[in-house]
Amino acid sequence: MHRGTILDLPKRHTGDVQSPCAACTVRDLSICSVLDPAHVKCLTDIVSDVSISPGQSVFYEGDPAEHLFVLRDGCARVCKVLADGRRMITGFFFPSDIIGLAEDVTYAYSCEAVTRLSLCQFPRKELQDLFVEHPVLEQRILRVATNELAAAQDQMVLLGRKTASEKLASFLLLLSSRAGRRRARQDELFLPMSRNDIGDHLGLTTESVSRCFTRLRKQGIISLDAAHTIRILDRDRLLVLSGSGDYEIEPSVAAL
Amino acid sequence: MHRGTILDLPKRHTGDVQSPCAACTVRDLSICSVLDPAHVKCLTDIVSDVSISPGQSVFYEGDPAEHLFVLRDGCARVCKVLADGRRMITGFFFPSDIIGLAEDVTYAYSCEAVTRLSLCQFPRKELQDLFVEHPVLEQRILRVATNELAAAQDQMVLLGRKTASEKLASFLLLLSSRAGRRRARQDELFLPMSRNDIGDHLGLTTESVSRCFTRLRKQGIISLDAAHTIRILDRDRLLVLSGSGDYEIEPSVAAL
DNA sequence: CGGGACTTTGAGCAAATTCAACCATTGTGG
DNA sequence: CCACAATGGTTGAATTTGCTCAAAGTCCCG
């Protein structure tokens, strides 16, 4: 993983023909994939590498929305906070995800590092200019946005109409499926975020999350190898428990 | 309002130079606005007028996503249903809203008429073709999508972290603000949807919604002129009650 | 090995739900 | 034109789910 040399340099790359993207592990998953190798250079021309320590913010709610990010490594959380401090995590980002979609002049949420992050930072303005030459880029962004919209609607169903156990089951299955998309193991999940983070994402308290984990473990549906590593032992039952079971089982998924 | 003659014709318009859009009341609010009058014809060439009766579906979850709609008149609800029948309404659509954004080949939700609907129906495929010639159209769609994404995140905060009263207060303020955008009265709100619909949108039961309405009325914050017509009497207190109060008060809004 | 942060577990509580009854509005048929 | 059924809305009492508060346990890191 000799990518390390680039990661910690927060300076701009220009005219680097043997681009750092060539070695990028998420290149074929994220926006860059829509450009053929010959054109990726126009992206590398405007990209900066950014690295963020756990707990630090990539940006805050209300900051001018100047950049778009591609998460290359790590896990980030999207937070919105009410006046009295109640917090909601509207989502988590994993490698290949695009961070910072916003139409407004400011970000509508904060983005914080759960683990150390490595990000590609694109100035929104210059990216916009590239859209003219490469409309395929904008199309890709639109696809990402509509996919996020669909995910947001699923999350609303979860928040508004599912029980605590169903929420946790759904969350675990979603993470598992996203891990699969990144070609990681789907049965052994690494959960970098705290129980508190999970609670703020599912509309529950830390304690409720913990109790639901315990219940799933006692039912033999998952095992808790460590606080942040769980193993899915009975995917079918987890699916039924998630409340979306029964008719949302695609054969391809159910077969696993 | 001599638009009526067109509204009930579910047939395609072709080569109609004096386009129906000329008289459209939402034209300057929706996607059409991004094209100068000379180019609107390319939209009228592919549009169909559709009219839907209350309770009927525009499309169902799982239907092939063949069309994009612009709501010209009426109110629609977006529904997702769990296997056991629990329903979530992820949003309501009002005139000028775009319906049917989806990247998938099928719709991820159903869209049902709350009141009688008049819609412009665009075949997704042909619209896609127009994007090449008029990239400004795609840009507009992207803007709409990211705006919806921001709204979805606000709704997640509401669902996951607000109390029943805060939910209802937030909902009323949101509807009021959207009415304002359509240049309708902001203090006297017409709520076409049922208490049950509101409950399914806020993650509450019909009874809880009703109780919260009663409480707001008894506190003198709103008046219930009819079951579907409410008047906002004390906007400031409603704002504080919505939980987003205090620091989300924009001067322009607070001044009203 | 010790300290701090995070997690788990327990007991009591409260907000919202469920269940049930009643009320209001509307539309229909006699 | 009125009676009445049907639908939707409101109100009340009992229940439950998940929350709050409290304490003990665990893990990680220096």
Side-chain angles (χ1 to χ4, degrees), chain A residues 97-117:
Chain A
D97 288 340
I98 294 176
I99 303 177
L101 285 176
E103 201 44 56
D104 225 343
V105 288
T106 58
Y107 295 113
Y109 48 83
S110 304
C111 177
E112 302 168 4
V114 174
T115 65
R116 170 160 288 273
L117 305 181

Side-chain angles (χ1 to χ4, degrees), chain B residues 164 204-205 207-208 211:
Chain B
L204 299 170
T205 57
E207 296 93 327
S208 292
R211 277 184 251 271

Side-chain angles (χ1 to χ4, degrees), chain A residues 163-233:
Chain A
T163 65
S165 300
E166 288 172 339
K167 286 177 176 181
L168 186 61
S170 305
F171 177 65
L172 294 178
L173 285 170
L174 181 67
L175 284 195
S176 168
S177 128
R178 288 176 77 177
R181 245 180 285 160
R182 298 193 309 277
R183 302 184 222 79
R185 291 190 59 167
Q186 284 192 272
D187 56 338
E188 187 171 314
L189 279 182
F190 176 58
L191 305 174
M193 68 292 288
S194 68
R195 297 289 189 264
N196 192 21
D197 284 349
I198 297 174
D200 281 348
H201 181 51
L202 302 180
L204 299 171
T205 58
T206 313
E207 296 93 326
S208 291
V209 172
S210 182
R211 277 186 253 273
C212 288
F213 266 117
T214 306
R215 204 176 314 154
L216 286 179
R217 183 174 52 72
K218 285 186 176 162
Q219 293 175 301
I221 294 172
I222 63 169
S223 71
L224 292 162
D225 302 356
H228 292 277
T229 311
I230 71 130
R231 191 186 305 265
I232 297 177
L233 301 176

Side-chain angles (χ1 to χ4, degrees), chain B residues 16-33:
Chain B
D16 186 357
V17 177
Q18 166 58 16
S19 89
C21 304
C24 177
T25 52
V26 300
R27 172 164 150 41
D28 57 331
L29 291 169
S30 198
I31 41 167
C32 332
S33 67

Side-chain angles (χ1 to χ4, degrees), chain B residues 117-130:
Chain B
L117 305 181
S118 301
L119 304 137
C120 292
Q121 181 188 62
F122 299 94
R124 180 182 304 280
K125 201 162 189 148
E126 304 184 31
L127 202 56
Q128 202 92 41
D129 294 340
L130 284 185

Side-chain angles (χ1 to χ4, degrees), chain A residues 89-147:
Chain A
I89 295 180
T90 62
F92 292 102
F93 286 124
F94 293 97
S96 86
D97 288 340
I98 294 176
I99 303 177
L101 285 176
E103 201 44 56
D104 225 343
V105 288
T106 58
Y107 295 113
Y109 48 83
S110 304
C111 177
E112 302 168 4
V114 174
T115 65
R116 170 160 288 273
L117 305 181
S118 301
L119 304 137
C120 293
Q121 182 188 61
F122 300 93
R124 180 181 304 281
K125 198 160 191 153
E126 304 184 29
L127 203 57
Q128 203 92 39
D129 295 340
L130 284 185
F131 288 169
V132 179
E133 202 181 340
H134 302 287
V136 73
L137 273 178
E138 183 161 37
Q139 281 159 35
R140 181 56 186 253
I141 302 275
L142 177 56
R143 280 188 53 185
V144 168
T146 52
N147 279 333

